[in-house]
Amino acid sequence: MSTATGTTTAPASLRTGHIGLNVTDLDRSLAFYRRLLGFEVAHEGHDGDRRWAFLARDGQLMVTLWQQSAGDFETGRPGLHHLSFQVDTVEEVRAAEAALREMGAAFAYDGVVPHGEGAASGGIFFTDPDGIRLEIYSPSGADTAPAPSGAAPTCGFF
């Protein structure tokens, strides 16, 4: 494979594996992610006061939770910007929104919004119990609302 800067040794096939998140309370985070996204606990463990859980769907590892942090997610520091989950339909996004409202989650925008002006894709933007920014979106069906950020990507600065 060639690039503007030379030849790379990049693999021929590449996909995102799982995402690891630091959390402050593993039990609270497990309840949140299991209820919202239907994750199954594939494995749990501990080493002293450090705990972890591996979360899967249909046998595929998707998220790992690591109880080794204090405080809230810091958006002003380098690191994870947000974690996004794609679903098939905007109705699934709305169902997730209803569940999140029952759980008292904080939203960046009111309701389902498009990814940008004129985009059909879009979803909901919210935080988990530790303030980690999350998104659930569908490829279509979000074009009935105005884009909250105008020409800027909706997921970019929430």
Side-chain angles (χ1 to χ4, degrees):
M1 173 183 285
S2 294
T3 66
T5 59
T7 303
T8 71
T9 58
S13 175
L14 183 66
R15 290 181 293 285
T16 301
H18 66 275
I19 304 295
L21 302 174
N22 284 336
V23 299
T24 59
D25 182 330
L26 184 64
D27 294 326
R28 178 181 69 177
S29 293
L30 277 171
F32 177 85
Y33 284 96
R34 291 182 77 191
R35 177 175 177 196
L36 179 63
L37 300 170
F39 286 139
E40 303 155 359
V41 177
H43 180 70
E44 274 186 270
H46 67 88
D47 179 12
D49 60 349
R50 297 184 310 174
R51 298 175 55 208
W52 63 86
F54 293 0
L55 304 179
R57 287 268 312 245
D58 302 320
Q60 180 176 345
L61 179 62
M62 296 191 72
V63 172
T64 58
L65 301 175
W66 305 91
Q67 182 178 293
Q68 61 181 1
S69 302
D72 289 326
F73 180 76
E74 179 55 56
T75 60
R77 298 186 58 133
L80 178 73
H81 181 274
H82 74 284
L83 176 55
S84 175
F85 296 96
Q86 181 179 332
V87 297
D88 291 333
T89 68
V90 73
E91 289 77 18
E92 289 174 287
V93 175
R94 288 191 177 103
E97 177 188 14
L100 285 161
R101 290 200 186 282
E102 287 176 11
M103 290 188 273
F107 289 85
Y109 311 109
D110 188 29
V112 176
V113 296
H115 279 129
E117 205 58 53
S121 66
I124 53 175
F125 301 83
F126 57 97
T127 58
D128 83 348
D130 286 299
I132 298 171
R133 296 185 296 193
L134 302 171
E135 168 188 4
I136 297 176
Y137 78 97
S138 68
S140 63
D143 49 357
T144 59
S149 301
T154 301
C155 63
F157 300 100
F158 76 98

